[in-house]
């Protein structure tokens, strides 16, 4: 099978079930205009995040890695009226572009962007958080993915869903001798899940308009 068919089917699905409105297409356009990397989730994955959120009745959502706010907008739209999403972003320029896009989508009241390194913001979040999160999407830098997952567990309750994007990396995870720090980061997370009794986890392999990849989907059982 060639990759063209994956891309065509991706568009077939998104045309049917995940059409983008102007706020979303404007967000993608802002990524081009601002010379930012085109690494947001696809429309179908945005819709998939919504389905997962709705299945666990997510009211409180945490995202690591905002970029221009594309996945943020998809997720914030699946929140109930009194729902809240906190998103962490290290790059001030990305955060500012995202702020405008989120405002343009009419979601500023539901979304809070925190600027800084996720690894430094997460301990503060744990100290401040009175209520655990229902849904956590990890999509920031890959080397600390295992540490991010441990923090995510501390911010969870039984029933929380934790999703981590880009954990297959076009199959590079199979390379035991890799020197790529991103691959090593996701390998560490993926392997840690095998013995992690706190979650029921799997990895969904993904193909489509974007490169071959995969995402961890972990349901929190109990926290030790
Ligand atoms: C893959 S993009 C996020 C895409 C976004 N979730 C979407 O689908 O629209 C990763 C983002 O994480 C940010 N990032 C990288 N390292 C980070 C860190 N240490 N802490 C927080 N954010 C970080 C990058 O600046 C980038 O905007």
């Amino acid at each position: 099978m060639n990759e063209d068919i994956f891309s065509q089917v991706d568009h077939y699905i998104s045309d049917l079930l995940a059409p983008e409105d102007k706020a979303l297409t404007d967000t993608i356009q802002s990524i081009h205009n601002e010379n930012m990397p085109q690494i947001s989730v696809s429309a179908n994955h945005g819709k998939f995040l919504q389905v997962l959120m709705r299945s666990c009745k997510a009211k409180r959502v945490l995202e690591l890695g905002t970029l221009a706010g594309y996945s943020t907008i998809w997720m914030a739209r699946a929140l109930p009226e009194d729902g809240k999403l906190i998103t962490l972003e290290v790059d001030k320029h990305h955060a500012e572009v995202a702020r405008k896009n989120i405002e343009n989508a009419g979601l500023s009241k539901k979304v809070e962007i925190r600027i800084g390194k996720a690894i430094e913001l997460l301990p503060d979040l744990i100290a401040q958080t009175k209520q655990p999160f229902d849904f956590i999407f990890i999509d920031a830098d890959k080397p600390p993915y295992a540490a991010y997952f441990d923090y995510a567990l501390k911010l969870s309750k039984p029933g929380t869903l934790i999703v981590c994007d880009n954990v297959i990396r076009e199959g590079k995870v199979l390379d035991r001798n890799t020197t790529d720090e991103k691959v090593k980061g996701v390998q560490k997370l993926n392997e840690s899940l095998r013995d992690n009794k706190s979650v029921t986890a799997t990895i969904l392999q993904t193909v489509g308009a974007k490169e071959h990849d995969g995402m961890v989907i972990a349901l929190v059982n109990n926290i030790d």
Side-chain angles (χ1 to χ4, degrees):
M1 286 178 95
N2 65 35
E3 286 179 19
D4 241 23
I5 193 80
F6 297 144
S7 185
Q8 285 171 33
V9 172
D10 215 30
H11 287 114
Y12 166 79
I13 299 168
S14 57
D15 286 349
L16 275 177
L17 299 172
E20 291 170 313
D21 67 355
K22 188 158 184 322
L24 287 168
T25 54
D26 282 354
T27 299
I28 296 296
Q29 189 57 47
S30 74
I31 295 174
H32 292 294
N33 296 348
E34 299 289 333
N35 290 320
M36 289 158 63
Q38 190 55 261
I39 50 175
S40 21
V41 296
S42 65
N44 287 334
H45 287 170
K47 183 72 181 285
F48 183 57
L49 293 173
Q50 289 192 336
V51 172
L52 292 178
M53 274 178 60
R54 291 251 161 90
S55 72
C56 65
K57 297 189 169 55
K59 213 168 158 177
R60 286 179 49 77
V61 174
L62 174 64
E63 176 179 55
L64 277 58
T66 319
L67 193 67
Y70 184 82
S71 53
T72 318
I73 292 171
W74 275 103
M75 291 191 286
R77 285 178 167 172
L79 284 170
E81 211 41 59
D82 57 346
K84 165 113 188 168
L85 187 157
I86 296 176
T87 182
L88 313 183
E89 173 56 55
V90 72
D91 187 306
K92 284 187 183 146
H93 176 228
H94 294 183
E96 182 50 24
V97 173
R99 191 192 61 70
K100 287 186 193 146
N101 289 327
I102 289 160
E103 193 180 315
N104 185 37
L107 292 163
S108 303
K109 283 204 180 113
K110 287 183 178 172
V111 177
E112 180 189 341
I113 304 174
R114 294 195 181 183
I115 301 172
K117 288 186 179 167
I119 210 80
E120 289 168 7
L121 296 174
L122 285 162
D124 288 347
L125 200 55
I126 289 169
Q128 294 160 5
T129 298
K130 295 188 183 73
Q131 258 185 301
F133 289 90
D134 307 303
F135 188 85
I136 301 176
F137 180 47
I138 300 178
D139 193 23
D141 50 329
K142 312 306 165 194
Y145 253 33
Y148 289 160
F149 194 86
D150 288 343
Y151 277 119
L153 278 178
K154 293 196 173 86
L155 290 159
S156 297
K157 57 171 177 49
T160 296
L161 264 182
I162 305 173
V163 175
C164 315
D165 204 8
N166 311 121
V167 300
I168 295 300
R169 314 201 67 78
E170 297 174 291
K172 293 192 187 106
V173 281
L174 300 178
D175 181 2
R176 307 301 323 157
N177 302 315
T178 184
T179 53
D180 180 329
E181 292 301 323
K182 293 180 184 174
V183 176
K184 286 208 260 184
V186 298
Q187 283 173 330
K188 188 170 171 196
L189 168 66
N190 296 346
E191 284 156 33
S192 75
L193 295 173
R194 182 182 45 211
D195 302 317
N196 192 333
K197 302 274 183 289
S198 300
V199 291
T200 304
T202 190
I203 298 172
L204 208 62
Q205 203 173 175
T206 56
V207 292
K210 307 228 162 185
E211 61 279 1
H212 170 214
D213 217 317
M215 54 175 81
V216 164
I217 300 174
L219 177 68
V220 177
N221 304 323
N222 52 56
I223 317 278
D224 297 327

